[in-house]
Amino acid sequence: MTEQLRELEARALAGVASAATPEEVEAIRVDVLGRKGRLAAISREMGKVPPEERGLIGKLLNQAKTSIEAAIAGREDAFEQEKLARRLDAEWLDLTLPPPGVRPGSLHPLTRIQREIEDLFVSLGFTVLDGPEVESEYNNFDALNIPPDHPARDMQDTFWLENGMLLRTHTSPVQVRGMQTLPLPLRMIAPGRVFRNEEVDASHEHTFYQLEGMMVDREVSVAHLIYFMKTLLAGIFKRDVTVRLRPGYFPFVEPGFELDIQCLICGGSGCPVCKQSGWVELLPCGLVHPNVLRLGGIDPGEWSGFAFGLGLTRLVMMRYGIDDIRQLQGGDLRFLRQF
Ligand code: PHE
């Protein structure tokens, strides 16, 4: 029986040591240590053992059981370790890579240009004013000398609200607010979002951005206007742009001008942005109409001024070579990430 036990232990230990899978180990455990296993069978034979040998056999039995259990536990442990090592190998992580999905943000091109122009004008002594997007008919039209029957007031051009207010169609109502709030002489700019009831296409949006400017002082003339517009364009484009000045009509300026720049997308040969003309209207401007000064509480006999309404959206398109206005507010990240 002693022999039998030693042999059983030796075979079990060898079997555990050479087992290739946890299943093989488990099979040995059941076969040797299980309730109906080999060790149990041997201990059932104990009755037949002469009493003086029982102590020794019992001891050997326990030793065999303990050593086999220990071997099994060790082997199972080894399998766990191997499994973990394989998993660590397969799921290898490079912790130095930037996390996916999180990218540094960037400013929208409109914001960038707006801030640049604000800096430029602040350095020239201008104040930056803000005005509401929902405006009164008075500030958007009447106070700007736009007559009651002017086509711009039409539903086709203006978004009217049910309470009689409107979405401002230009930033010029902020001129009105500036004349009411700023002391004279005044220099102000007002960047902002404006709205027109437009059919949307590559060069028209119902929502776009302008930057209004106004200066009121004694003896302001067209020479001042031209000086500031040249300074503005040089600051924006940082290169030579071809410009032309045409007479332009706006009820709130007299004389009024259209300052066009040669299209920077096509270089003047014609494209959708310049409507094939080679020129882009960028900077309507003029001397403030005496009626507007008067309505703003300013004596036109003593003071004069110039005003301009820069098309910020158009400017951004020129600057970055964007040929479809819809991209600017389309929210497509592939577009925005280029800036
Ligand atoms: N408010 C005018 C527009 O939106 C532009 C403009 C502003 C023209 C100031 C002259 C002076 O069309």
Side-chain angles (χ1 to χ4, degrees):
M1 206 173 223
T2 316
E3 253 331 284
Q4 207 189 334
L5 259 175
R6 291 227 166 87
E7 207 195 296
L8 176 61
E9 183 183 354
R11 261 199 293 134
L13 291 179
V16 169
S18 64
T21 64
E23 289 73 25
E24 281 179 49
V25 175
E26 175 63 8
I28 294 171
R29 197 188 61 75
V30 172
D31 181 46
V32 180
L33 301 175
R35 265 198 306 128
K36 295 177 182 162
R38 292 171 196 270
L39 279 181
I42 291 174
S43 60
R44 273 196 298 275
E45 307 277 285
M46 284 289 268
K48 296 175 191 161
V49 175
E52 64 277 13
E53 285 178 29
R54 272 186 207 157
L56 177 66
I57 301 285
K59 207 170 142 199
L60 285 178
L61 202 80
N62 273 334
Q63 275 174 4
K65 195 176 167 225
T66 315
S67 75
I68 296 167
E69 277 174 350
I72 289 176
R75 198 79 186 95
E76 281 174 347
D77 215 43
F79 283 131
E80 276 307 309
Q81 294 294 333
E82 276 171 39
K83 201 172 137 194
L84 183 65
R86 270 198 307 276
R87 196 174 139 203
L88 286 177
D89 224 32
E91 297 179 5
W92 185 81
L93 287 177
D94 183 350
L95 296 178
T96 66
L97 283 176
V102 178
R103 289 167 184 252
S106 58
L107 292 178
H108 192 281
L110 268 162
T111 310
R112 292 236 292 237
I113 294 230
Q114 181 183 319
R115 291 194 183 172
E116 260 178 50
I117 299 175
E118 283 177 10
D119 285 348
L120 176 78
F121 276 101
V122 166
S123 79
L124 295 170
F126 283 68
T127 304
V128 183
L129 283 192
D130 206 9
E133 291 171 355
V134 174
E135 261 294 7
S136 63
E137 181 174 12
Y138 179 81
N139 281 346
N140 196 83
F141 293 125
D142 301 84
L144 291 163
N145 198 38
I146 301 175
D149 56 353
H150 194 279
R153 301 200 190 206
D154 202 85
M155 295 258 288
Q156 261 64 51
D157 296 296
T158 301
F159 291 112
W160 290 90
L161 306 184
E162 277 167 5
N163 62 3
M165 303 283 277
L166 48 79
L167 297 184
R168 65 179 176 189
T169 60
H170 49 183
T171 42
S172 300
V174 193
Q175 285 184 29
V176 178
R177 292 170 178 273
M179 287 186 288
Q180 287 164 358
T181 54
L182 296 177
L184 292 175
L186 73 81
R187 297 179 182 196
M188 54 149 281
I189 57 166
R193 196 152 65 142
V194 302
F195 309 86
R196 286 186 200 169
N197 198 352
E198 296 268 16
E199 199 75 63
V200 175
D201 63 26
S203 52
H204 295 90
E205 253 286 15
H206 47 68
T207 303
F208 54 101
Y209 289 76
Q210 291 187 331
L211 186 135
E212 195 78 10
M214 181 185 228
M215 171 172 165
V216 178
D217 207 328
R218 295 179 199 278
E219 294 174 5
V220 171
S221 69
V222 173
H224 295 100
L225 172 64
I226 290 172
Y227 166 78
F228 279 100
M229 296 306 96
K230 279 189 170 166
T231 307
L232 169 62
L233 292 171
I236 293 168
F237 290 108
K238 297 174 180 75
R239 62 161 152 155
D240 281 342
V241 284
T242 311
V243 300
R244 70 178 184 191
L245 208 58
R246 291 179 290 127
Y249 174 71
F250 302 91
F252 34 95
V253 286
E254 179 58 37
F257 307 101
E258 284 284 6
L259 194 152
D260 302 341
I261 66 165
Q262 199 167 62
C263 182
L264 296 175
I265 306 276
C266 62
S269 60
C271 72
V273 174
C274 60
K275 294 178 217 141
Q276 311 304 330
S277 73
W279 295 91
V280 176
E281 275 180 30
L282 193 64
L283 199 51
C285 52
L287 295 187
V288 183
H289 196 288
N291 286 349
V292 173
L293 289 173
R294 221 173 276 122
L295 287 165
I298 296 172
D299 177 3
E302 210 181 321
W303 303 91
S304 55
F306 68 73
F308 61 89
L310 177 67
L312 263 191
T313 302
R314 287 242 177 95
L315 182 64
V316 170
M317 294 174 75
M318 288 293 113
R319 167 91 161 250
Y320 293 109
I322 299 163
D323 65 3
D324 191 326
I325 194 171
R326 291 166 291 197
Q327 301 217 280
L328 282 169
Q329 304 205 99
D332 187 334
L333 289 177
R334 291 167 304 178
F335 168 77
L336 292 170
R337 279 185 186 136
Q338 298 174 72
F339 299 96

